[in-house]
């Protein structure tokens, strides 16, 4: 059987709908060998009820450590999905350095003070081309910050199905090159299938660029409920193989290893 990992899971520690232990059985049923939790953490943004309170990070890590000790049938990993806030890299780094994680997912949800994934209202009266480019600029800064092991949903700005009028290919190419230089992993995030976009992140038309530039990949569900762990993975694996990928990244204590896809 293929060794599958799913490193992007949200539980009631942030905006997920079930407790961490409730995901174990679903993960085993979905053929997952390593299940990694990655609660939302947004420093420098107040009153975000979709995020974990930064004061709870230590408790969360201890909770997952306990779960790992009590789980026999799969390997449990501890991660965080951390918002990259431009200009705050140093502070985010000092905060994260206090904690022992298997991996850090760096994600861009914010453009300015608002998140791009909350609702289509965000896009009203704005130029989508400009937003698209700003989003890629922020993701590029997140990559170059050196804070993260994995970049989450690198083109989340597509969530509502809007399309730029310009050709976005050069932006994907530029980002892929920076990712390679920075030695960072991107995720094929299957959760976009459940959003208005109705497809994976990143855009499958540009996946070949990441393969050509030899950016390492991992496959994540971004599940917020147990039923969605490992969702659409058969299709995701097939797509990656067809695009030329042969390996995927696994992490332990922030050390990366590449294993067969
Ligand atoms: Zn996210
Ligand atoms: Zn997420």
């Amino acid at each position: 059987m293929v060794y599958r990992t799913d490193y992007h899971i949200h539980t009631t520690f942030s905006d997920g709908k079930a407790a961490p232990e409730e995901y174990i059985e679903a993960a085993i049923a979905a053929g997952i060998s390593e299940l990694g939790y990655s609660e939302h953490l947004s420093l420098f943004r107040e009153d975000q009820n979709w995020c974990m309170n930064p004061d709870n990070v230590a408790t969360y890590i201890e909770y997952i450590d306990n779960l790992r000790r009590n789980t026999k049938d799969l390997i449990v990993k501890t991660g965080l999905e951390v918002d990259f806030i431009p200009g705050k890299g140093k502070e985010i780094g000092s905060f994260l350095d206090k904690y022992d994680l298997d991996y850090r997912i760096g994600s861009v949800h914010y453009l300015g003070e608002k998140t791009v994934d909350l609702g289509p209202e965000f896009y009203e009266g704005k130029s989508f081309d400009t937003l698209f480019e700003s989003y890629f600029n922020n993701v590029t800064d997140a990559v170059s910050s050196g804070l993260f092991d994995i970049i989450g949903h690198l083109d989340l700005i597509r969530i509502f199905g809007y399309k730029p009028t310009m050709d976005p290919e050069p932006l994907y190419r530029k980002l892929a090159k920076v990712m390679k230089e920075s030695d960072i992993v991107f995720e094929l995030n299957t959760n976009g299938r459940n959003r208005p976009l109705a497809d994976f992140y990143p855009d499958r038309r540009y996946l070949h660029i990441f393969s050509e530039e030899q950016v390492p990949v991992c496959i994540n569900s971004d599940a917020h409920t147990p039923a969605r762990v490992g969702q659409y993975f058969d299709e995701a694996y097939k797509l990656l193989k067809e695009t030329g990928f042969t390996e995927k990244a696994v992490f332990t204590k922030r050390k990366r290893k590449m294993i067969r896809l």
Side-chain angles (χ1 to χ4, degrees):
M1 211 173 84
V2 191
Y3 192 92
R4 287 186 176 178
T5 58
D6 190 349
Y7 285 160
H8 196 148
I9 303 290
H10 297 283
T11 76
T12 43
F13 273 99
S14 63
D15 62 344
K17 304 289 178 250
E21 57 274 19
E22 295 179 70
Y23 288 76
I24 301 285
E25 224 175 286
I28 294 166
I32 302 298
S33 303
E34 278 187 37
L35 182 69
Y37 298 91
S38 59
E39 302 300 349
H40 286 291
L41 180 74
S42 277
L43 302 172
F44 308 104
R45 289 288 185 274
E46 303 294 317
D47 301 324
Q48 298 305 326
N49 56 11
W50 53 279
C51 290
M52 176 165 35
N53 182 328
D55 296 340
N56 288 344
V57 173
T59 311
Y60 157 67
I61 291 174
E62 209 184 296
Y63 193 99
I64 304 300
D65 279 347
N66 258 321
L67 183 60
R68 171 170 32 250
R69 282 191 283 273
N70 295 323
T71 303
K72 300 281 167 273
D73 298 329
L74 58 68
I75 294 170
V76 170
K77 295 270 162 94
T78 314
L80 282 173
E81 181 183 17
V82 184
D83 269 274
F84 179 72
I85 309 288
K88 294 291 185 192
K90 205 164 159 249
E91 290 86 344
I92 295 170
S94 332
F95 181 90
L96 291 176
D97 284 345
K98 292 183 284 184
Y99 301 103
D100 198 11
L101 298 168
D102 286 311
Y103 56 87
R104 301 172 181 174
I105 300 178
S107 289
V108 173
H109 299 100
Y110 288 92
L111 277 185
E113 296 299 310
K114 294 261 186 333
T115 57
V116 301
D117 55 343
L118 206 60
E121 317 78 70
F122 173 81
Y123 298 82
E124 279 167 24
K126 298 190 178 94
S127 148
F128 187 67
D129 285 2
T130 307
L131 293 176
F132 196 93
E133 232 172 301
S134 310
Y135 190 85
F136 270 67
N137 284 339
N138 280 10
V139 172
T140 305
D141 289 347
V143 171
S144 323
S145 74
L147 292 170
F148 308 113
D149 306 301
I150 302 168
I151 287 294
H153 45 60
L154 65 86
D155 55 4
L156 177 69
I157 193 78
R158 292 166 53 244
I159 185 167
F160 294 107
Y162 303 130
K163 292 181 174 64
T165 59
M166 82 290 195
D167 173 15
E169 184 159 345
L171 290 172
Y172 283 93
R173 180 70 68 179
K174 190 176 145 223
L175 178 60
K177 284 184 187 296
V178 179
M179 292 187 89
K180 179 63 183 172
E181 276 163 31
S182 307
D183 195 27
I184 197 168
V185 173
F186 81 102
E187 65 170 9
L188 183 74
N189 181 313
T190 61
N191 192 32
R193 266 300 257 282
N194 302 313
R195 312 310 297 268
L197 161 73
D199 206 353
F200 302 152
Y201 311 103
D203 192 325
R204 61 176 73 215
R205 288 174 302 168
Y206 306 112
L207 254 187
H208 67 95
I209 293 175
F210 296 86
S211 166
E212 287 155 16
E213 300 294 342
Q214 299 183 303
V215 185
V217 69
C218 63
I219 303 94
N220 291 330
S221 70
D222 205 348
H224 288 66
T225 61
R228 288 188 170 174
V229 176
Q231 197 181 26
Y232 311 123
F233 273 24
D234 287 344
E235 187 190 338
Y237 273 74
K238 188 166 172 273
L239 176 63
L240 286 172
K241 283 178 184 160
E242 285 167 0
T243 316
F245 290 92
T246 56
E247 295 181 310
K248 61 176 176 277
V250 291
F251 287 93
T252 305
K253 301 289 180 204
R254 303 199 61 214
K255 290 268 179 295
R256 185 176 85 210
K257 212 174 85 179
M258 298 304 295
I259 64 169
R260 195 163 57 86
L261 190 66

